Amino acid sequence: MWYRPPHVPRRAPALALLAATLLAATGCADRPADDGDPGKITAVAGFYPMHYLAARVGGPSVAVTSLARPGVEPHDMELTPAQLETVRDAELVVYLRGVQPAVDAAVGDSGDRLFDVATHVPLDAPAEPAGHDGEAEPDGHDEGTTDPHVWLDPQRYATAAEKLAARLGTLDPPRAAGYTANAAALRTELTELDAAYRTGLATCTRRQIVTSHAAFGYLARRYQLTQVPITGISPDQEPAPRRMTEIAALARQYGATTIFFETLVSPKIAETVARQAGAGTAVLDPIEGVSGADDYPAVMRRNLATLRQALGCR
């Protein structure tokens, strides 16, 4: 995925104008969407990790609509007029500001109905890419930005669930205990997932993961791995040939057998580096657009199996 810092929303002005026009045409921005059950809280989620969080914590008491379609790259998505109306009518918007400029423009500053995960689970600055020489890079190394991929750390994701439960409790006090219990149950599952990662990655021949871009910093820090990204947090430009050669040399130095690429984006950059390094390729999923029968825990466990094979874990 790529991440556009909040201060560079490419389409924000037009989207904000469209959102304002819809608000003026259709009335009060705080009116909840009609999902056929007036007893439910209506919520919208920016993309899959936010949807999973809201659905698990909200349970049957919250009707959650995702703005990003399954299997579709969420970052450059446009919102339709119908989606803008859904955002306007929702009682709660669960999102991560800076990941989806279209969503950021649509929600604006809507006060208490917004739940921005980044304000509840502080984001880290991206780690210095391995092999980086400290000079400014023209090909996607975004110094000074934050890394949005916080959901790839199960423990931080569990903290976001608890914060969301507290917010839902303020919106719906009679069911506050239920939201708290849902978040606690999710915390238990995520702690078990965390333990599986700790055990599964404890004894590996290698600890460097060579990735198409820097999407796995939180996961790497949590499990004492070293991320070696070809591009940085915002890989919307092609990496310089010098950078690709540099990463291929590092991959050979580390004895890497696998160069990882992501779902929803082209594998060409990873394949080029893999050829130069004499390595293979495999998918390491950042869990941004899950489809089919998969869910967050299933994809995380598949990622663990992929890592164990690539890193020679025993």
Side-chain angles (χ1 to χ4, degrees):
M1 71 172 269
W2 64 274
Y3 170 69
R4 188 179 306 283
H7 62 282
V8 206
R10 184 167 60 192
R11 304 182 180 87
L15 286 165
L17 178 60
L18 179 56
T21 301
L22 284 168
L23 290 175
T26 52
C28 176
D30 292 328
R31 187 177 74 249
D34 180 8
D35 72 339
D37 186 347
K40 289 186 177 183
I41 290 176
T42 57
V44 295
F47 64 122
Y48 177 77
M50 306 298 104
H51 183 273
Y52 182 79
L53 194 71
R56 286 296 309 270
V57 176
S61 300
V62 178
V64 187
T65 299
S66 180
L67 297 174
R69 297 192 305 276
V72 175
E73 216 285 342
H75 305 95
D76 271 339
M77 61 174 284
E78 300 280 5
L79 297 183
T80 66
Q83 287 177 312
L84 286 167
E85 186 172 355
T86 299
V87 171
R88 182 213 67 188
D89 287 342
E91 294 171 271
L92 185 66
V93 180
V94 183
Y95 74 121
L96 205 165
R97 184 172 289 275
V99 173
Q100 297 170 284
V103 176
D104 296 349
V107 301
D109 183 10
S110 300
D112 289 344
R113 76 188 192 100
L114 300 184
F115 184 86
D116 177 7
V117 167
T119 68
H120 297 279
V121 182
L123 305 183
D124 293 343
E128 184 78 1
H132 190 257
D133 58 11
E135 298 177 0
E137 288 284 350
D139 54 4
H141 296 299
D142 305 291
E143 312 299 342
T145 65
T146 55
D147 181 352
H149 306 84
V150 67
W151 62 89
L152 293 174
D153 178 339
Q155 292 294 350
R156 295 199 195 204
Y157 200 38
T159 297
E162 292 164 349
K163 299 289 187 179
L164 179 57
R167 172 62 64 83
L168 285 168
T170 65
L171 293 175
D172 183 12
R175 290 183 284 209
Y179 301 132
T180 299
N182 291 344
L186 182 55
R187 163 75 76 177
T188 297
E189 293 179 32
L190 293 173
T191 298
E192 292 172 354
L193 181 63
D194 176 59
Y197 264 78
R198 289 184 184 280
T199 300
L201 299 175
T203 55
C204 301
T205 304
R206 295 168 294 279
R207 305 207 69 80
Q208 297 84 15
I209 54 173
V210 184
T211 62
S212 58
H213 86 279
F216 299 93
Y218 293 98
L219 186 147
R221 281 189 290 274
R222 175 66 68 180
Y223 304 112
Q224 292 78 53
L225 303 176
T226 299
Q227 179 180 227
V228 185
I230 302 168
T231 57
I233 294 294
S234 301
D236 54 341
Q237 300 179 19
E238 290 290 320
R242 174 175 60 84
R243 179 64 182 172
M244 297 174 73
T245 300
E246 180 181 65
I247 294 299
L250 284 173
R252 290 192 298 271
Q253 176 186 325
Y254 296 141
T257 62
T258 306
I259 309 299
F260 294 108
F261 65 94
E262 302 176 13
T263 54
L264 310 183
V265 296
S266 171
K268 290 182 179 179
I269 291 173
E271 289 172 347
T272 298
V273 172
R275 283 195 297 271
Q276 294 179 13
T281 59
V283 170
L284 195 60
D285 196 331
I287 321 184
E288 294 169 359
V290 173
S291 59
D294 280 336
D295 61 9
Y296 174 88
V299 180
M300 282 290 283
R301 291 185 183 279
R302 187 160 64 240
N303 280 346
L304 174 58
T306 300
L307 286 168
R308 281 179 50 79
Q309 179 174 357
L311 299 180
C313 305
R314 299 183 294 280

